[in-house]
Amino acid sequence: MQRVYSLLVDNNSGVLSRISGLFTRRGYNIDSITAGVTADSRFTRITIVSSGDEIILSQIEKQIAKLEDVIVVKVLKPEESVYRELILVKIRANAQQRSEIVSIVDIFRAKIVDAERESLVIELTGTQSKLEAFLQLLDGYEILELARTGIAGLSRGIKDVTFIE
């Protein structure tokens, strides 16, 4: 089972290290982790994706909530949230392959962000399943490098927005 946690934390140095250290000490796995300052620079939003059974995932939530810098921990349910991930793919592309690759890029509404004589860098944002489908279509081409950001997510609507004065 996989679960997505959205944390609102104080924007203090070392907070990400303390959170990842908790996972290390407890032997919990982090599938992906992203962090960035919010609209209010006093706070950082951290999105963590973790796997385990119901007991482990419940423990993760409780342990994170106990940390000093953590203000709010939310579980982002797929049907009530928006998740996105960014991927950059550098692919070898000769002149004959470029039109085929551009067709795939267009289908997925991706962008070619860099073009060189022998390669293209493609940027795609979407759900994990969209990114996986994109990579499957690129399977016949030589992927030189690949970078993924991990999931960023927010709950839908305003019912559980945390307002801090």
Side-chain angles (χ1 to χ4, degrees), residues 66-83:
K66 290 181 184 178
L67 293 174
E68 183 179 327
D69 293 318
V70 175
I71 299 163
V72 176
V73 178
K74 295 180 195 173
V75 174
L76 297 180
K77 298 176 183 169
E79 64 278 3
E80 299 173 3
S81 305
V82 177
Y83 306 147

Side-chain angles (χ1 to χ4, degrees), residues 16-36:
L16 187 59
S17 177
R18 286 189 289 283
I19 290 169
S20 64
L22 172 101
F23 278 77
T24 301
R25 286 189 309 277
R26 302 279 187 206
Y28 302 144
N29 189 43
I30 296 174
D31 297 335
S32 82
I33 187 166
T34 59

Side-chain angles (χ1 to χ4, degrees), residues 61-113:
E61 184 178 351
K62 290 173 187 171
Q63 293 296 319
I64 292 172
K66 290 181 184 178
L67 293 174
E68 183 179 327
D69 293 318
V70 175
I71 299 163
V72 176
V73 178
K74 295 180 195 173
V75 174
L76 297 180
K77 298 176 183 169
E79 64 278 3
E80 299 173 3
S81 305
V82 177
Y83 306 147
R84 292 295 180 266
E85 184 174 2
L86 169 73
I87 189 170
L88 294 172
V89 182
K90 184 185 295 180
I91 189 166
R92 186 179 305 277
N94 60 35
Q96 294 80 26
Q97 295 172 317
R98 285 182 187 261
S99 64
E100 297 169 10
I101 294 168
V102 167
S103 294
I104 295 170
V105 166
D106 289 343
I107 289 168
F108 282 87
R109 294 187 183 117
K111 296 178 193 170
I112 295 174
V113 294

Side-chain angles (χ1 to χ4, degrees), residues 149-163:
T149 59
I151 290 176
L154 292 173
S155 59
R156 295 179 186 272
I158 62 168
K159 68 178 186 245
D160 67 348
V161 173
T162 302
F163 294 99

